[in-house]
Amino acid sequence: MKKQTEARVITFTSEAEMPMMPASMASTLYNKTGSWRYMRPLYVNKTPPCNAACPAGEDIVMYLQLTAQGRYAEAWETIVRENPFPGVCGRVCPHPCESECNREHLGGAIAIHCQERFLADYAAAHDLGLPMPDVPQRGEHVAVVGAGPAGLSCAYHLRRMGYQVTVFDAGDKPGGMMRLIPEYRLPKEVLEREIAAIVATGVEVKTGVRLGVDVSLDDLKDYAAVFLAVGQSRSRRLGVPGEEATGVLPGIDFLARVARGQRVGLGEKVAVIGGGNTAMDAARTARRLGADVTIFYRRSRAEMPAIDEEVNEALDEGVRIEFLRAPVAVLTENGHVRGLRLTEMELGAPDESGRRRPLPVAGSEYEVACDTVIPALGQVADLSFLDAEVKSERGRIITDEKAATTRPPIFAGGDVATGFGTVTAAVGSGKRAALAIDCFLRGVERTFPDLAQNVQAAPRPHDAAVVRFEDLNTAYFEEEPRPRQEQRPAAERVTTFEEVNLGYGEDAALAEAQRCFSCGTCNECDNCLIFCPDVAVLRGPSDDEPFVFNYDYCKGCGICVSECPRHAISFEEEVKFAET
Amino acid sequence: MRKPKTYARNYEIPEEELTYSGSVSCPGCGATLAMRYALKALGPKTMVVIPACCWSIIAGPFPYSSLTVPIFHTAFETAGAVSSGIRAALDILGKEDITVMAWAGDGGTFDIGIQALSAAVERNEDFIYVCYDNEAYMNTGIQRSSATPWMAWTTTTPVKHPKDEPKKDIMAIMAAHYIPYTATATIAYPDDMIAKFRKAKSIHGAKFIHVLSPCPPGWKSEASDSIKLSRLAVQSKVFPLYEIEHGEKVTINVWPKDGGVPVSEYLRLQGRFRHLSDENIAAIQAEVDRNWERLVAKAKGSVYTELV
């Protein structure tokens, strides 16, 4: 009997038609065992925890899987469909994705930031330009105010959708707060390259234009829509006597001057006030300029908002951190800083941020000598350009989930609206606004998830359910350690602004990508096909549909569901049994 | 057909399918999957001899077949004898490239067919005898066999009187015939299983492969757990994966990960063991550990050298 591909039913109408002995004449394909089934397996990709945690809405699992196959250019394209700053984010993002990674339980979270950085460096080395989708150009012109990560992300995504975009920025170069990130964390050429790539997509950038000074909101009313992403550019004040003395240099002003290559005289001893990333950047930069640096922070290490790795690196470089200390006064001599009067603090009841409120300890004041005081207590937005129609609250522009302000068609995003305070969050916020502006201009209704979650510009079909470690079949995974990222030794670091972290080479990146579980995302391991007793899993027609179930024969045993290592197969009650 | 990607898996499985969909095996049948792997390994030049067992039914009612290769259905006790006859006939026809595979359940191997099997391998007939072991007469309604494990429920060993005899050591019996190749295999390890069938095919003489085949209705387990149970049988050392060459050279093919898992993990997924007391489980664990240590000792002490 030749191999059969179609069901054939044999019917004997008389004994004479029957063979001499009971030999088979057709295959069992006549028997549609699919009718037995009361549960149905379905290929449904779920949301991996890293993707769910990414403030920029990157499809992390997809680019790790492409990297695992050595398809680096496609992997990079997968990132830049969502985020045009992989080189920046791969270096400075606090990577909340890694905190959620299910690999943590079997050898350590995937070093996603190193992967992102590797792909960005690969794209730079191979001179890859941002690929633009082939869409019809649209007549509407959108103004974006602020060329930081939110503004540039919005402009880029609007360009991808065919809109004309002009970005205004008060600075002399686009980049916003990204320009203040010290070179040892983010080399300037990485930033320049990614900004240039965005400009090359046809975004018009006008620098040296300050909203409220050089143009007003009303001047922008000829644009079809306006996106405000002016960020938070004003340093919070210390609020203690002596703050006006020379030698008190706000953190972002200090970083801006160093970034512009200006000489900054710090003296011997520098006191940095604050516990955030700006404080760390300022302290480590001052170290590199030869100063003896102490950070004073009013709470304890656990409450520090700075990225943990940054704090450790600062300590390695000889920065001292004094916890539970707050300044009471800046001590001056002839109008110049000579020291600080500090008070010890203790932690009281939790405040509205959920952290315990620091309270001064009575009678604990003391003095220290220093030549420069760098307050880095966070920034606030300068909202002086706003008119009465665009409402703000507690220093932030009020927006709805579609990034719209109280005065359409004016939209807002980034730190001026969200205050999230990271490049990656700003990129996500800008993208959300671009998608919302597109819907607004086309008159399309679309709902957006909560502001804390981020939308994807090019989502692939997936279920919103987030895959957790318990959902995986770990029989298929070994415990494998995370490869170490090479780092410049601390003693060498304090003498140079060369990059601290050296990233992954190709071998490490490839191995690390292959360590990814690919949670919720089919990566064609073939388990479903291998373990089906009934040959009811077939290879599918395309990469988008690698397998198909043959429901004519699938008996619904569920082996494929439980043996899928990554929870990419769902199991649902057959419709004929479901309650109607 | 699209070329499969293999970066997510470190072994190859032949793409060719030699079994059909539409067989009447129960959902989650381990024996059905075992046949699929066996034929992938052996290829289309194979003849299958099936005595009375589940597979007599799974292979299809007249005039249908669930295999693309020829099957000879035969009586319960005759798999060894019939395979010997088919081998002889093929040899006379000069068709020595065709592999003969007897495919029998544990009843047809451990109990009813053991005489014909012993005789055929004693003659070192050139064929592969496969016992797919689901640990009872499942096809006729879950009656105990000499392959049923100690304390397991079956319809003839009900919970009030569970089986009081240990499982027969069929591998030791077959090894005692000093045949060229004896091996265990199970469905959770397709790469190991396919490698063993290929190795068996390459060897001239009598080969015996003992395949543990989870049976959801008979073991009272979830159909979706069949692979998991097969894996746990190996990881708990209840069913170690090993091979014995020429009755002497013992090789353990899969070592349990991180020293293995307790037998309770394997037992608790099966309704047939639900009545076990903690003492019963401890006794099973002790027996499994003892058998494992003996197997490891055999593997370490193997001294077989090829005769010239």
Side-chain angles (χ1 to χ4, degrees):
Chain A
M1 188 174 88
K2 269 220 148 39
K3 182 164 179 180
Q4 298 181 348
T5 51
E6 275 169 35
R8 243 182 80 204
V9 175
I10 308 285
T11 313
F12 300 117
T13 54
S14 72
E15 203 181 327
E17 290 175 17
M18 294 181 72
M20 286 287 287
M21 52 189 290
S24 55
M25 299 160 76
S27 73
T28 47
L29 291 176
Y30 81 97
N31 186 23
K32 301 283 172 68
T33 50
S35 64
W36 304 5
R37 186 177 62 239
Y38 59 92
M39 292 293 281
R40 170 186 287 252
L42 296 155
Y43 290 107
V44 180
N45 283 331
K46 320 288 187 303
T47 306
C50 49
N51 286 19
C54 178
E58 291 179 10
D59 194 348
I60 295 166
V61 157
M62 191 52 83
Y63 72 73
L64 289 180
Q65 289 306 310
L66 290 166
T67 306
Q69 297 169 62
R71 294 157 72 178
Y72 306 132
E74 290 163 79
W76 176 76
E77 284 174 18
T78 305
I79 305 180
V80 296
R81 271 201 291 274
E82 309 295 339
N83 177 354
F85 288 110
V88 174
C89 291
R91 287 171 169 84
V92 306
C93 181
H95 42 72
C97 50
E98 294 182 25
S99 311
E100 295 295 314
C101 177
N102 286 328
R103 242 304 170 194
E104 180 61 28
H105 303 275
L106 275 175
I110 302 292
I112 297 167
H113 72 289
C114 296
Q115 299 294 104
E116 187 176 25
R117 171 181 170 164
F118 164 76
L119 292 170
D121 292 354
Y122 175 89
H126 291 77
D127 213 18
L128 302 178
L130 291 170
M132 295 300 273
D134 187 17
V135 294
Q137 293 300 301
R138 303 184 56 109
E140 295 98 327
H141 203 136
V142 180
V144 172
V145 186
L152 289 175
S153 161
C154 180
Y156 164 70
H157 284 286
L158 286 169
R159 277 302 298 142
R160 281 176 61 88
M161 292 182 276
Y163 293 97
Q164 311 309 310
V165 188
T166 301
V167 183
F168 300 94
D169 194 86
D172 53 358
K173 283 182 188 170
M177 281 293 170
M178 293 187 288
R179 290 223 168 259
L180 304 194
I181 301 171
E183 286 248 33
Y184 62 85
R185 283 176 66 200
L186 176 64
K188 283 287 167 288
E189 67 265 20
V190 174
L191 179 63
E192 297 294 1
R193 182 183 182 276
E194 291 189 336
I195 292 174
I198 293 170
V199 173
T201 65
V203 173
E204 185 189 21
V205 180
K206 290 188 174 170
T207 52
V209 183
R210 183 176 288 276
L211 185 63
V213 177
D214 305 304
V215 288
S216 68
L217 270 184
D218 283 333
D219 295 338
L220 299 174
K221 66 176 185 293
D222 290 340
Y223 290 94
V226 176
F227 178 57
L228 299 176
V230 297
Q232 296 174 317
S233 55
R234 224 178 241 177
S235 291
R236 267 214 185 93
R237 295 172 56 83
L238 274 176
V240 297
E243 191 169 3
E244 310 306 328
T246 53
V248 176
L249 184 57
I252 54 171
D253 295 350
F254 167 55
L255 292 171
R257 285 168 64 178
V258 175
R260 277 199 293 268
Q262 295 171 357
R263 270 185 56 90
V264 188
L266 293 173
E268 220 167 275
K269 278 180 168 300
V270 172
V272 177
I273 318 292
N277 288 318
T278 307
M280 295 305 134
D281 285 349
R284 297 176 68 189
T285 298
R287 263 312 271 152
R288 283 165 173 75
L289 297 175
D292 176 11
V293 184
T294 307
I295 296 174
F296 296 98
Y297 177 53
R298 60 190 183 136
R299 304 185 205 233
S300 68
R301 171 90 195 238
E303 291 85 21
M304 262 185 133
I307 304 169
D308 215 34
E309 289 139 19
E310 301 288 326
V311 181
N312 288 333
E313 286 167 13
L315 290 169
D316 290 347
E317 290 164 10
V319 171
R320 279 188 308 280
I321 307 180
E322 301 262 345
F323 294 102
L324 297 166
R325 297 287 183 277
V328 181
V330 176
L331 307 174
T332 59
E333 194 174 284
N334 303 329
H336 195 280
V337 172
R338 72 167 173 85
L340 273 175
R341 180 174 303 128
L342 295 150
T343 173
E344 291 183 15
M345 308 291 277
E346 60 186 3
L347 295 178
D351 62 10
E352 70 272 14
S353 75
R355 298 178 301 172
R356 293 174 66 189
R357 186 191 298 274
L359 300 165
V361 177
S364 65
E365 289 184 15
Y366 66 104
E367 291 181 5
V368 293
C370 64
D371 306 298
T372 302
V373 174
I374 303 181
L377 304 172
Q379 288 94 249
V380 288
D382 176 358
L383 297 177
S384 57
F385 61 85
L386 287 186
D387 59 24
E389 284 178 76
V390 183
K391 299 248 185 304
S392 65
E393 186 181 63
R394 302 178 64 190
R396 291 178 197 156
I397 299 175
I398 297 174
T399 55
D400 62 12
E401 77 285 358
K402 294 172 190 166
T405 65
T406 47
R407 181 188 163 186
I410 297 178
F411 295 76
D415 280 349
V416 75
T418 68
F420 287 148
T422 68
V423 172
T424 322
V427 166
S429 175
K431 175 168 65 182
R432 170 189 293 267
L435 295 168
I437 290 169
D438 174 55
C439 290
F440 171 80
L441 293 178
R442 287 190 296 126
V444 176
E445 266 303 315
R446 179 178 160 182
T447 55
F448 287 85
D450 290 343
L451 209 57
Q453 298 171 333
N454 277 278
V455 289
Q456 291 188 334
R460 58 185 163 86
H462 72 287
D463 191 303
V466 176
V467 179
R468 298 299 173 193
F469 187 67
E470 311 78 69
D471 299 323
L472 304 172
N473 187 338
T474 51
Y476 297 97
F477 303 121
E478 299 290 330
E479 182 159 347
E480 292 167 70
R482 164 173 166 149
R484 267 182 62 84
Q485 180 184 210
E486 291 299 318
Q487 221 177 33
R488 213 174 283 282
E492 187 187 326
R493 294 205 305 250
V494 294
T495 64
T496 170
F497 277 86
E498 294 287 315
E499 217 173 349
V500 169
N501 292 308
L502 303 176
Y504 278 170
E506 181 176 344
D507 290 348
L510 194 65
E512 183 64 347
Q514 287 173 349
R515 211 167 62 90
C516 168
F517 290 153
S518 193
C519 302
T521 303
C522 174
N523 67 353
E524 299 179 49
C525 71
D526 285 357
N527 264 12
C528 50
L529 187 135
I530 289 169
F531 290 122
C532 177
D534 296 301
V535 203
V537 177
L538 310 172
R539 290 209 186 278
S542 68
D543 273 0
D544 297 329
E545 204 183 354
F547 303 104
V548 288
F549 287 112
N550 188 343
Y551 290 115
D552 280 351
Y553 300 106
C554 167
K555 294 170 184 168
C557 70
I559 284 179
C560 52
V561 180
S562 60
E563 293 313 309
C564 177
R566 46 207 109 252
H567 198 44
I569 304 178
S570 298
F571 209 28
E572 288 177 7
E573 200 170 3
E574 273 294 334
V575 176
K576 62 187 174 187
F577 293 105
E579 281 180 47
T580 48
Chain B
M1 193 199 288
R2 291 171 57 253
K3 199 175 172 302
K5 290 176 195 156
T6 51
Y7 69 94
R9 169 165 55 83
N10 57 8
Y11 58 87
E12 295 275 351
I13 298 289
E15 287 284 309
E16 191 177 14
E17 299 294 351
L18 295 162
T19 56
Y20 286 115
S21 301
S23 76
V24 294
S25 63
C26 308
C29 174
T32 305
L33 185 53
M35 177 68 92
R36 188 171 159 235
Y37 295 158
L39 290 182
K40 275 175 179 282
L42 299 179
K45 289 214 164 204
T46 304
M47 283 192 183
V48 183
V49 175
I50 300 182
C53 60
C54 288
W55 254 97
S56 307
I57 307 303
I58 301 169
F62 168 75
Y64 301 101
S65 171
S66 66
L67 299 188
T68 59
V69 300
I71 308 171
F72 192 95
H73 287 279
T74 182
F76 223 142
E77 67 279 25
T78 64
V82 169
S83 301
S84 305
I86 289 179
R87 175 78 272 159
L90 287 170
D91 288 350
I92 288 166
L93 291 170
K95 295 183 174 176
E96 280 158 9
D97 58 334
I98 294 176
T99 304
V100 176
M101 174 171 74
W103 186 266
D106 48 293
T109 305
F110 286 61
D111 300 344
I112 300 175
I114 196 163
Q115 179 277 131
L117 165 62
S118 176
V121 302
E122 186 268 334
R123 296 190 301 273
N124 200 24
E125 299 282 358
D126 183 22
F127 78 125
I128 304 171
Y129 188 105
V130 180
C131 171
Y132 68 93
D133 179 5
N134 45 32
E135 304 194 315
Y137 291 82
M138 297 309 185
N139 185 39
T140 49
I142 322 172
Q143 293 85 11
R144 64 90 89 183
S145 75
S146 58
T148 304
W150 181 68
M151 289 307 280
W153 164 91
T154 66
T155 53
T156 48
T157 52
V159 168
K160 281 195 172 172
H161 302 281
K163 195 190 178 214
D164 202 19
E165 300 78 26
K167 184 181 174 104
K168 190 188 276 184
D169 188 353
I170 195 76
M171 284 291 286
I173 295 169
M174 298 318 295
H177 289 75
Y178 294 94
I179 54 175
Y181 190 66
T182 317
T184 62
T186 188
I187 53 171
Y189 297 86
D191 49 336
D192 175 74
M193 185 157 168
I194 287 174
K196 284 171 173 166
F197 274 84
R198 282 180 168 160
K199 185 167 180 178
K201 184 185 175 181
S202 74
I203 295 169
H204 188 88
K207 286 83 63 174
F208 179 83
I209 299 179
H210 181 196
V211 179
L212 183 71
S213 301
C215 169
W219 293 12
K220 302 277 174 248
S221 58
E222 289 293 331
S224 57
D225 278 346
S226 289
I227 303 296
K228 187 176 185 183
L229 281 168
S230 163
R231 182 167 56 238
L232 285 171
V234 175
Q235 293 298 325
S236 66
K237 305 163 187 164
V238 167
F239 190 84
L241 292 181
Y242 63 104
E243 57 190 10
I244 307 174
E245 287 162 88
H246 303 279
E248 284 179 335
K249 188 186 172 197
V250 179
T251 310
I252 296 172
N253 308 102
V254 174
W255 290 81
K257 203 160 130 181
D258 304 326
V261 298
V263 290
S264 54
E265 286 198 27
Y266 170 67
L267 300 174
R268 71 183 172 82
L269 293 176
Q270 304 174 54
R272 63 175 176 157
F273 292 120
R274 190 161 296 145
H275 57 280
L276 295 194
S277 64
D278 288 349
E279 290 75 33
N280 294 153
I281 293 172
I284 292 171
Q285 182 70 62
E287 183 67 10
V288 162
D289 289 345
R290 209 165 66 87
N291 288 342
W292 172 255
E293 278 166 30
R294 195 166 50 201
L295 179 68
V296 171
K298 277 189 200 168
K300 285 186 176 156
S302 290
V303 289
Y304 176 78
T305 43
E306 200 82 37
L307 293 175
V308 183

